[in-house]
Amino acid sequence: MLLTMFGEYVLPQGQPVWTSTLLYVLGGLEIEEKSTRQALNRLAAEGWIVADRVGRRVRWALTEHGRALLSEGAERIYSFGRERDSWDGRWLVLLVSVPEARRDLRHQLRTRLTWAGLGSPMAGVWISPHASRIGVRAANVFKDLHQAWHDAAQRRWAALSAEN
């Protein structure tokens, strides 16, 4: 809910918002003050927002990182159903292995890949029909190999069909 507040009201206005305002609005939605304050602190710790103290009061502004993420999210939400780039029939497949000892890195990777639109059909495997969203150039090798295999299989199928 707090991210929605920042995305819908703070981002378009480009102005910081007072803690008291957030507490009042979210309180009206039956979200406890303690929960709102914890969420504010988490968002600040993750670099999405920054506090600005004015006397005893605090107001919150989006960081550059927060603005970029919420702007991208708003674009995805409000462009839903509009024309999309045509799909070239190829899939981006990532095989990822993160050691158990690096659970923080695993969580960060999973969060970012999901945000980029990739899905995970099984542990360590991520797929997307839109490689451009994550800008991985090395993946082009796999994509091109897959396309070459696909083209070769189609030629072979056509040859077999012609023989019969």
Side-chain angles (χ1 to χ4, degrees):
M1 290 301 293
L2 188 58
L3 277 178
T4 299
M5 295 286 301
F6 274 95
E8 290 294 321
Y9 302 106
V10 178
L11 178 65
Q13 297 296 319
Q15 299 294 320
V17 61
W18 295 105
T19 303
S20 58
T21 302
L22 294 169
L23 293 173
Y24 177 78
V25 172
L26 293 174
L29 298 172
E30 298 183 9
I31 297 174
E32 294 182 21
E33 180 178 328
K34 181 180 177 182
S35 297
T36 300
R37 290 184 187 278
Q38 287 174 338
L40 285 167
N41 288 326
R42 271 191 232 115
L43 289 178
E46 292 174 9
W48 288 58
I49 60 175
V50 63
D52 176 31
R53 186 168 290 280
V54 180
R56 293 179 49 183
R57 299 177 70 198
V58 176
R59 60 185 177 183
W60 298 90
L62 289 164
T63 62
E64 191 62 40
H65 172 70
R67 263 192 304 282
L69 286 172
L70 289 177
S71 294
E72 182 183 340
E75 174 62 27
R76 284 186 189 184
I77 291 167
Y78 295 116
S79 68
F80 183 77
R82 293 185 194 158
E83 251 184 71
R84 297 185 189 132
D85 295 337
S86 63
W87 182 46
D88 63 5
R90 298 183 293 179
W91 290 88
L92 168 66
V93 179
L94 298 177
L95 304 176
V96 181
S97 176
V98 179
E100 180 68 26
R102 297 296 315 269
R103 295 184 119 193
D104 59 326
L105 179 61
R106 183 183 304 167
H107 173 72
Q108 188 177 38
L109 180 67
R110 182 175 51 245
T111 301
R112 290 185 179 174
L113 289 175
T114 301
W115 178 257
L118 279 84
S120 180
M122 62 186 343
V125 178
W126 292 85
I127 62 171
S128 174
H130 306 289
S132 62
R133 282 191 182 167
I134 61 172
V136 176
R137 294 179 195 263
N140 290 334
V141 173
F142 180 81
K143 281 175 48 181
D144 292 342
L145 285 173
H146 175 264
Q147 188 64 41
W149 175 86
H150 178 70
D151 292 346
Q154 280 188 323
R155 283 192 303 274
R156 180 71 178 137
W157 180 260
L160 287 172
S161 296
E163 290 174 6
N164 295 329

